[in-house]
Amino acid sequence: MNFQSSRRRGEEGIAVVIDFLLSNARLVLGVGGAALLGIATLAVKRLIERAGRAADDEKVEQKMAESWEELSLVSASPTLIRKGIEGVVMKHVAKATKQQKADLCQQPQMLDVQTKPESKSKRLQLCALTLQERLQQYYHTRAALSPQEVQRAQSVALDICTEIQGFLHNRHPDMPLGDMRLGGSLLDDLQVVSADHACLLVPLQLESFLWRLIPGEETLLTHPLHWMVRRINLEYFPKGRSYWDRYLVGGYLSAEAVVNMFIKAVMETVNWPSISSTLDCVVRPVLGGPDLRLEIRPGNAVEGAESDYQPLFVSMLPLLSEGDVVLTAQPEFTSPWVNAWHLSLYPWETQRLAELDAADNGYRKHTLKILKAVCRQNPALRPLKATPLANLILHLSDSESDWSETSLDVRFQQCITELIGYLEQGALHSYFKPAANLLSGLSEDQVDQMGFMFYCAVSEPEILLI
């Protein structure tokens, strides 16, 4: 077998076959099967390349045997996340990453002679960064937001809040609402990458003698995060006594009906061009979705043109509160149950993280923001939202006490390892509600893709920080 004379032509043919197989494999085999096929074709390609580079028949036979052994590992693994394939995948990724680092370090030598010595030294310093230094650099350049950016987004969101609250008080003076306020990650310094979304909390005021909040475990749904709000004392106070009786469905206050009311009363009724002119920005409702959301752009933004500022999305969130219990009207979480209200654990989780960091000057919040930025900027990890990541750190805090700045790299790698375990089990239980599985909303394909990415990051965590 002489590959030397037609090596280039042969590689082009192999590349065409591989591209064809991989492009069609996902339709037939799914993501896990396509990944297996990718590793298999990689092993076959290496078999041919090794044979072409070999000088004598003995080396050819030896190299071919090694490649077929790797191929047998792939065929023996039924799914993507298995120990058999893990070794092969890790070896290829580690080799590729090391080669990338070597190429990066050699770039200053390949530049023109007129390149400034300062730029060369900076590149060499980048190659020499430890994981700890890379994490700090990633935090300051990717995860953390500038105070000016946060303040600008908060100011716009508060202006919108004032306009909406004024409109509701004038148009619906009898609607019992509390003071609308800003909430969520933008207020708690947990937003990452860019200040592009804000949350306006709209508290509904209920009469305590007419309504009762029922925990999810006590309802027919038996879901710990799906609560219901029952109308009580109907024999003494018939329907119509409470303003919210008009949104009853089967004796319970319907979260979906409340959201639909706000869509009609606010999103479809407010004169947004007038508000846009007043605030010197372009405000548009985002209709067609299950949430109450507005898109806000700078007043000088041109349709279809690039702008220095990303659009800001402001969501209205109707909620009920009783003590430390906060229920939100979010049909995207409680569908198809029209009467269910979502128990928000965000206040508990945020408060717990702040208390732990305050007690030992820890970097849990720091770690959470890095993980959020990594997942947001990596398409394969994007389905992993902030709630599972926050609960991951809370669970890990029970067993690990050192969350100082010097151990940031150790905790980051440990988070990756823990996430792999949770993905393999298909369950990450809520810290405050252990019966709730925070990974239940992920599809099998998403779990496969995320598991593969985290497996690759075990030996080379830097690939998550690119």
Side-chain angles (χ1 to χ4, degrees):
M1 298 175 63
N2 184 10
F3 296 93
Q4 297 294 340
S5 60
S6 59
R7 182 178 177 185
R8 179 177 300 275
R9 183 174 56 189
E11 288 180 351
E12 291 176 356
I14 292 171
V16 172
V17 174
I18 291 175
D19 291 339
F20 175 79
L21 289 174
L22 292 181
S23 63
N24 292 276
R26 180 166 181 170
L27 296 176
V28 180
L29 304 176
V31 176
L36 290 175
L37 181 58
I39 301 301
T41 51
L42 176 62
V44 173
K45 182 179 178 182
R46 289 183 59 194
L47 180 151
I48 298 176
E49 290 179 348
R50 286 172 176 171
R53 289 194 299 265
D56 55 295
D57 294 341
E58 293 181 358
K59 291 185 178 180
V60 171
E61 293 178 359
Q62 181 180 358
K63 298 298 182 180
M64 290 176 66
E66 292 176 359
S67 292
W68 284 116
E69 287 177 1
E70 292 178 0
L71 186 58
S72 66
L73 278 179
V74 177
S75 61
S77 302
T79 59
L80 178 61
I81 307 176
R82 290 293 185 269
K83 295 181 180 179
I85 193 174
E86 177 186 351
V88 179
V89 173
M90 297 298 294
K91 181 165 62 175
H92 288 309
V93 173
K95 181 178 179 180
T97 309
K98 291 178 181 178
Q99 182 63 36
Q100 183 181 8
K101 287 183 177 181
D103 293 342
L104 181 63
C105 295
Q106 291 175 2
Q107 283 181 3
Q109 301 176 3
M110 301 170 62
L111 295 176
D112 191 80
V113 180
Q114 297 179 354
T115 304
K116 296 181 180 180
E118 294 180 0
S119 62
K120 290 184 179 182
S121 62
K122 289 181 179 179
R123 290 189 179 91
L124 291 174
Q125 290 174 3
L126 181 62
C127 297
L129 291 178
T130 63
L131 177 58
Q132 176 81 4
E133 295 168 336
R134 288 289 303 277
L135 288 170
Q136 291 288 9
Q137 182 188 62
Y138 185 85
Y139 176 82
H140 292 292
T141 59
R142 303 286 187 88
L145 305 179
S146 66
Q148 296 79 10
E149 183 181 3
V150 173
Q151 184 178 5
R152 181 170 57 248
Q154 289 181 349
S155 177
V156 174
L158 289 174
D159 289 340
I160 295 294
C161 178
T162 302
E163 294 291 337
I164 293 176
Q165 183 160 339
F167 173 83
L168 288 174
H169 284 173
N170 293 331
R171 182 62 77 84
H172 304 278
D174 57 335
M175 184 184 296
L177 297 175
D179 292 333
M180 294 176 58
R181 63 186 186 275
L182 185 65
S185 60
L186 185 63
L187 181 66
D188 298 322
D189 189 29
L190 285 174
Q191 201 157 133
V192 297
V193 182
S194 63
D196 57 2
H197 60 280
C199 184
L200 298 182
L201 305 180
V202 187
L204 280 57
Q205 295 180 338
L206 300 181
E207 300 87 349
S208 59
F209 59 93
L210 297 180
W211 303 93
R212 178 190 169 198
L213 308 187
I214 304 177
E217 296 87 347
E218 299 179 13
T219 67
L220 293 176
L221 306 180
T222 65
H223 193 295
L225 301 183
H226 293 174
W227 286 41
M228 301 182 77
V229 183
R230 178 189 296 165
R231 176 67 158 86
I232 59 176
N233 293 331
L234 283 172
E235 61 275 19
Y236 303 108
F237 305 99
K239 289 182 180 180
R241 178 64 181 269
S242 173
Y243 176 89
W244 303 108
D245 282 342
R246 62 193 73 180
Y247 306 110
L248 280 174
V249 176
Y252 296 89
L253 180 61
S254 171
E256 185 174 295
V258 170
V259 170
N260 290 336
M261 178 272 293
F262 277 110
I263 290 177
K264 295 179 180 178
V266 178
M267 297 296 166
E268 299 177 355
T269 308
V270 172
N271 188 347
W272 298 115
S274 176
I275 292 181
S276 299
S277 177
T278 302
L279 302 180
D280 191 23
C281 60
V282 180
V283 184
R284 298 174 181 172
V286 181
L287 302 176
D291 55 348
L292 305 161
R293 190 162 46 145
L294 299 170
E295 179 185 0
I296 304 169
R297 294 181 179 271
N300 56 357
V302 180
E303 185 70 22
E306 294 185 358
S307 175
D308 294 336
Y309 301 105
Q310 291 184 344
L312 174 66
F313 292 94
V314 178
S315 298
M316 292 178 57
L317 187 61
L319 60 86
L320 305 171
S321 59
E322 185 179 279
D324 61 348
V325 174
V326 176
L327 304 182
T328 58
Q330 294 180 280
E332 63 270 27
F333 292 154
T334 57
S335 179
W337 315 111
V338 298
N339 290 341
W341 290 71
H342 177 69
L343 173 63
S344 176
L345 300 179
Y346 174 81
W348 301 356
E349 296 161 357
T350 305
Q351 181 180 359
R352 180 60 177 166
L353 284 173
E355 291 174 351
L356 291 173
D357 277 348
D360 58 5
N361 294 322
Y363 270 61
R364 295 172 184 82
K365 182 178 177 181
H366 208 91
T367 306
L368 175 60
K369 294 176 72 172
I370 292 176
L371 290 173
K372 287 179 62 176
V374 164
C375 292
R376 179 171 175 177
Q377 294 191 312
N378 190 311
L381 304 179
R382 207 162 287 162
L384 197 58
K385 303 302 182 181
T387 299
L389 297 175
N391 282 266
L392 164 71
I393 293 178
L394 289 175
H395 284 302
L396 199 55
S397 296
D398 287 343
S399 58
E400 299 293 342
S401 59
D402 185 9
W403 288 85
S404 61
E405 181 179 5
T406 56
S407 63
L408 179 62
D409 56 338
V410 178
R411 296 286 85 83
F412 179 76
Q413 290 178 298
Q414 193 170 6
C415 285
I416 294 175
T417 305
E418 292 292 322
L419 281 171
I420 292 174
Y422 288 128
L423 290 172
E424 287 181 338
Q425 298 172 8
L428 196 170
H429 298 286
S430 169
Y431 185 81
F432 292 101
K433 291 288 184 178
N437 178 14
L438 303 179
L439 300 182
S440 60
L442 297 177
S443 67
E444 185 177 350
D445 288 349
Q446 290 172 335
V447 171
D448 280 352
Q449 292 181 20
M450 288 188 289
F452 175 77
M453 195 67 192
F454 285 129
Y455 263 129
C456 295
V458 170
S459 62
E460 296 292 340
E462 291 85 357
I463 65 174
L464 299 177
L465 308 178
I466 297 175

